[in-house]
Amino acid sequence: MLNKRETLSIACGLGMLFGAAAPLQAGYLSDILTPGVTNSFSDQSREAYIDVDGDGTFNEGDVLTGFVRLDDKIAPDSVHTTGHIYTMFAQEVTHIDPTNGVVEFKASTVAGLNLIDYGVAGASSTDMVAVYTSQGGFSKDLIDTSPGDRTGNGQVTLKDYFDLIMGEGELELLAGATEDFSSPCNTINPDADCFQASTPLATGGASNSNFVGLLPSSSVGSFVGALTTSLDPAGFVAQDITPVGLFETPPFMRTAELAINDGSIAGTSGVKNASEWTDASELTSLKQCTDTSGNVVPCGFIDQAKYHLTPARTVPEPASLALLSLGLLGFGAARRRGHKG
C-alpha cells in the first residue's frame, strides 16, 4: 500500500510526464500543413496605398497595407481554405529603379502603419505579414462582404477589416525581412530577405494619380517575396529551402521560409467595396493618392499570388525534455518506495 506522500509523488510524476508530452495547441493552419514538403496556397488580396511624404509621386518611404485571403491549399494536396485564413500586411518602399520599374519593400516603419501599431501580438519591427486563422471560419468573407463599422466612427474603412481579422482569428504565423535595406537586394548578402515588385507605374518618378481609376481586368505589375518567419505554426518550423526568382537578369534565386510568387497587381475601379478597404483614414492622417484634379482620394490595388511554406515537425524543447525526465524519476522513486513497503 502506498502512503500519501508516495501517492503524491506518483501524481506529480505523471503530471509532468503527460504535461511534457502534450502537444502544443494547434490552429487551423497547423492542422492542414503537410510536413517535409512544400505547402502552396493561392490567394487574393486587397490593399491601400499611402503617399507618406505627400508629394503626389510613388517613391521611397510610401506604404502599401491591406489583407490577403488564402483561398485554397493547392499542394501537395487540395484543401478549400476560403474563410479560414487571412493575412494582414504592411510594407514600405525602400528602393525604386525608375528605369525598369523594380520596387523593393521592407516591413513598414511608418507610425500607425505597421503590424505593431495595428496591435498584432508579438510582431517585431521586421515583420511584414501576420497570418490569422479560424477553425470555424471567419464570420465574413472580406473579399466580397463588408465587415461593417466595427470601430463605431460612422464609416467603414480598412481598419474595420483589420479589426475583424484580429478579433476573430488566431495568430499562427509572422514573417518579414530581417536584413539591412540600405542597399538594393541584388547588392547585398545573397541569402538576404527580399520583397520585390515590377511595375511600369514606378518608372520615371511616376505620379500616383496613375493609380486612380485603374481597372481590375488588366495587370499592371507582378511581385515576389522571400521572407523569414519569426512565428511558426504550432508544432512546426519553416525551412529556408523554397526557391524564389527575383526580378534580375539573369533571374537571381533566393530561398525563403515563406515564399511568395506569381503575384499580379491590378486596379480597383469597380471592385466591390473598394471605397472601404482602400480608405486608410482611420489608420493615418497621411495622404493617399492625388488625382488629376488635385483631389486627395483613397486608392490601392487588388492582387493575386501564391504562398509557399515548407514545414518540418519540431522536436521537444529542452525544457520539455527536462520535465519529462523529472516526471519519470519521480514516478520511479515512488515505485521503489512502494515496493520496499
Side-chain angles (χ1 to χ4, degrees), residues 12-102:
C12 289
L14 288 172
M16 290 179 179
L17 175 61
F18 290 109
L24 294 171
Q25 184 66 39
Y28 178 83
L29 184 58
S30 295
D31 286 347
I32 65 172
L33 286 176
T34 306
V37 296
T38 298
N39 290 242
S40 300
F41 298 83
S42 60
D43 76 36
Q44 299 183 58
S45 68
R46 303 289 187 260
E47 62 190 51
Y49 162 79
I50 297 92
D51 182 9
V52 173
D53 62 6
D55 69 349
T57 64
F58 180 52
N59 56 21
E60 286 86 353
D62 290 351
V63 169
L64 289 167
T65 184
F67 63 93
V68 179
R69 185 187 72 188
L70 268 64
D71 293 339
D72 293 288
K73 182 185 178 188
I74 55 177
D77 55 349
S78 297
V79 180
H80 186 54
T81 61
T82 296
H84 292 274
I85 309 176
Y86 283 98
T87 295
M88 292 169 48
F89 65 90
Q91 55 198 60
E92 177 182 338
V93 178
T94 58
H95 298 283
I96 297 178
D97 186 335
T99 60
N100 59 17
V102 173

Side-chain angles (χ1 to χ4, degrees), residues 6 16 38 61 75 85 92 110 143 154 156 160 169 178-179 183 185 189 194 202 204 207 245-246 294 304 322 327:
E6 291 163 347
M16 290 179 179
T38 298
I85 309 176
E92 177 182 338
V110 177
I143 295 296
V156 182
D160 295 295
T178 59
E179 299 296 330
S183 302
C185 281
N189 179 355
C194 190
S207 168
L246 302 183
Q304 290 183 319

